[in-house]
């Protein structure tokens, strides 16, 4: 039986997606923060549970070949990255393992007939994010601060620059904080539900060079809005500021943005191009954060679908229609379904601006619309499904199974829910043929994956 404060010398055998190293002592799995697989360490047990325990590093006896010097001083205090102490090549190996483990252990799936490819990584895995969200609030001493949440908390750490995001986004944050100080504008306080500015959201178009700044506010207006616009417009960078939006969120929730937007400067959307198509993006619409890897993800998804030009394609959870429109070039008819109304407005606009005439889009939940389309007799040849982290649901999956497409291409950002949903599809007569992890979020524990399932 392990006890707190006991000291052991161990060799770490694996890393979890939270970045912790793992080793076994007797029958316990021991999680060690900051450890790398292959490290030999002297550790002290800090907490003991029924079948697992936590420990801290006292001394690195022999460092692992996977251990690297983190590229950021804020690591591991900042909650943004979890794997910055691990080499990039090992991160990619880990992500492939996380996907296969989830499918095998959580989904109880047999992968013997499946091709599981190595994770598609980035050549330069830094400054890849096109979206940065900076919470703004107060430090314990009352000082105004903007930056990032500390790991597993809502304490804000001031950050001058984030190596995963664009430099200009961090400079926009400084401009907002300066405007707030100069004009005595308050920040929102989660505990009292008082104060105005909640966060700054900056989205850049990697290809278009356009930039949008969205200020989320607990109210409908800000003092001296013109001065805020001037402060933001004065920031020099590689992008052209084409939109400033005031977003109202007066609810007691922790959503990144509320539902209402008012344009303070320029356009209400920004545009960008992906895989040769041009997209218009509203603040509330989902848009993948890593444009370079998104192109590779969508190319994989469309390739897995093996379209000949004659197919009817259903794209569930379609967002602004990105996958639908990438597939439309090689299909007869594409139908996209998405719950956020503004995203469907964007999707229709995006079809028109790319002169795509064989795509239709419907607002509503995947569960309701898929049942409706089934009752209308829709029988797609291919279904793309790209749900949020919580995955899909019984109703949608059962409607999909009743539609009996030849192929299902499941794009997932959460291996656990992918495994659960894939198990339902396999039980319903499908077989996993291909699994392609794609590294959308280098240095974080997040894993994106594209899976091809074929009807047996
Ligand atoms: N395929 C798109 C979007 C994927 S993100 C892309 O690659 O850009 C998941 C999307 O599912 C989001 O746009 C979200 O708004 C939407 N969504 C969440 N719950 C939903 C539901 N129950 N029904 C339909 N869409 C949903």
């Amino acid at each position: 039986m392990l006890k707190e404060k006991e000291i052991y010398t161990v060799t770490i055998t694996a890393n979890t997606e939270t970045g912790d190293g793992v080793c076994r002592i007797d029958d316990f799995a021991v999680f060690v923060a900051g450890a790398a697989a292959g490290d030999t360490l002297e550790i002290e047990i800090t907490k003991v549970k029924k079948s697992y325990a936590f420990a801290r590093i006292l001394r690195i006896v022999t460092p692992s070949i996977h251990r690297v010097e983190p590229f950021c001083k804020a690591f591991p205090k900042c909650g943004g990255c979890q794997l910055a102490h691990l080499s990039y090549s090992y991160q990619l190996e880990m992500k492939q393992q996380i996907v296969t483990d989830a499918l095998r252990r959580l989904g109880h799936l047999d992968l013997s007939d499946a091709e599981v490819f190595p994770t598609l990584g980035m050549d330069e895995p830094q400054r890849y994010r096109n979206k940065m969200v900076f919470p703004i609030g107060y430090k314990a001493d009352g000082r105004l601060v903007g930056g990032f949440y500390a790991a597993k908390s809502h304490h804000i750490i001031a950050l001058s620059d984030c190596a995963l995001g664009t430099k200009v986004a961090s400079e926009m944050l400084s401009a907002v904080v300066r405007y707030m100080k100069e004009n005595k504008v308050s920040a929102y306080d989660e505990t009292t539900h008082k104060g105005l500015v909640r966060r700054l959201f900056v989205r850049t178009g990697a290809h278009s060079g356009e930039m949008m700044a969205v200020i989320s506010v607990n109210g409908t207006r800000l003092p001296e809005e013109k001065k805020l616009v001037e402060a933001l417009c004065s920031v020099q960078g590689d992008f052209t500021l084409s939109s400033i939006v005031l977003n109202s969120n007066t609810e007691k929730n922790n959503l990144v943005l509320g539902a209402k937007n008012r344009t303070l400067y320029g356009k209400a959307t920004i545009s960008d191009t992906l895989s040769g198509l041009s997209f218009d993006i509203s603040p509330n619409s989902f848009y993948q954060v890593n444009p370079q890897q998104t192109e590779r993800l969508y190319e994989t998804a469309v390739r897995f679908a093996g379209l000949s030009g004659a197919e009817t394609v259903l794209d569930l959870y379609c967002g602004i229609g990105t996958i639908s429109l990438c597939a439309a070039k090689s299909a007869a008819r594409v139908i996209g379904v998405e719950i956020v109304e503004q995203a469907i407005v964007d999707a229709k606009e995006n079809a028109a601006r790319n002169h795509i005439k064989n795509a239709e889009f419907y607002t509503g939940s995947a569960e309701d619309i898929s049942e409706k389309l089934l009752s209308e007799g829709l029988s797609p040849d291919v279904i793309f499904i790209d749900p949020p982290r919580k995955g899909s649901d019984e109703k949608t999956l059962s409607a999909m199974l009743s539609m009996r497409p030849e192929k299902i291409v499941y794009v997932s950002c959460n291996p656990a829910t992918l495994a659960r949903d894939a198990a339902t599809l396999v039980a319903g007569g499908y077989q996993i043929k291909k699994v392609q992890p794609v590294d959308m979020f280098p240095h974080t524990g997040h894993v994106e994956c594209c899976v091809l399932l074929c009807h047996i």
Side-chain angles (χ1 to χ4, degrees), residues 111-132:
L111 296 178
S112 49
D113 288 324
E115 282 180 277
V116 181
F117 300 104
T119 310
L120 281 178
M122 298 187 77
D123 292 338
E124 284 181 35
Q126 299 220 332
R127 301 229 174 263
Y128 58 81
R129 289 190 65 96
N130 61 12
K131 183 181 96 174
M132 299 300 284

Side-chain angles (χ1 to χ4, degrees), residues 91-337:
Q91 292 180 27
L92 297 177
E93 270 176 48
M94 260 180 79
K95 290 187 181 187
Q96 185 193 31
Q97 194 64 46
I98 288 169
V99 172
T100 36
D101 281 355
L103 291 170
R104 287 208 177 104
R105 292 187 194 157
L106 304 175
H108 305 289
L109 292 162
D110 173 14
L111 296 178
S112 49
D113 288 324
E115 282 180 277
V116 181
F117 300 104
T119 310
L120 281 178
M122 298 187 77
D123 292 338
E124 284 181 35
Q126 299 220 332
R127 301 229 174 263
Y128 58 81
R129 289 190 65 96
N130 61 12
K131 183 181 96 174
M132 299 300 284
V133 179
F134 302 108
I136 296 173
Y138 296 103
K139 284 259 185 225
D141 63 5
R143 260 183 312 147
L144 185 65
V145 61
F148 288 100
Y149 288 128
K152 297 176 196 146
S153 91
H154 271 193
H155 292 297
I156 301 171
I157 304 177
L159 212 70
S160 54
D161 185 24
C162 166
L164 303 193
T166 48
K167 257 210 162 76
V168 69
S170 312
E171 282 160 24
M172 300 287 273
L173 174 66
S174 307
V176 171
V177 171
R178 217 172 35 244
Y179 146 82
M180 288 175 70
K181 283 183 180 159
E182 283 171 13
N183 297 283
K184 301 199 168 35
V185 180
S186 59
Y188 177 69
D189 182 335
E190 270 182 359
T191 46
T192 60
H193 191 54
K194 296 220 167 77
L196 266 178
V197 177
R198 288 169 167 254
R199 46 179 65 81
L200 170 70
F201 169 117
V202 179
R203 189 178 257 160
T204 44
H207 293 285
S208 66
E210 292 185 13
M211 176 163 61
M212 163 184 269
V214 185
I215 322 288
S216 174
V217 167
N218 174 34
T220 53
R221 54 186 64 255
L222 279 171
E224 307 285 354
E225 288 177 355
K226 253 186 154 164
K227 291 203 173 143
L228 170 68
V229 170
E230 276 166 24
L232 288 171
C233 287
S234 71
V235 175
Q236 303 287 319
D238 300 338
F239 293 86
T240 309
L241 183 60
S242 49
S243 167
I244 302 177
V245 171
L246 187 137
N247 173 268
S248 293
N249 182 7
T250 52
E251 304 292 318
K252 276 190 189 163
N253 59 28
N254 201 34
L255 295 180
V256 171
L257 296 178
K260 274 199 210 133
N261 292 315
R262 178 161 57 86
T263 307
L264 299 182
Y265 171 84
K267 307 187 290 178
T269 57
I270 59 163
S271 58
D272 196 21
T273 48
L274 271 181
S275 305
L277 296 167
S278 159
F279 292 97
D280 228 11
I281 314 145
S282 297
N284 300 67
S285 295
F286 176 87
Y287 188 60
Q288 293 280 5
V289 300
N290 183 333
Q292 210 179 321
Q293 294 297 85
T294 300
E295 290 191 336
R296 301 175 83 186
L297 177 72
Y298 292 166
E299 277 157 23
T300 305
V302 173
R303 186 161 34 81
F304 279 5
L307 300 172
S308 69
E311 292 83 0
T312 296
V313 172
L314 178 60
D315 179 16
L316 297 173
Y317 310 87
C318 72
I320 60 169
T322 42
I323 296 178
S324 312
L325 299 181
C326 286
K329 293 179 273 186
S330 327
R333 179 185 178 205
V334 177
I335 301 151
V337 176

Side-chain angles (χ1 to χ4, degrees), residues 354-367:
N354 291 290
H355 313 291
I356 291 173
K357 300 205 167 60
N358 59 341
E360 305 148 48
F361 293 97
Y362 299 100
T363 309
S365 69
E367 47 275 34

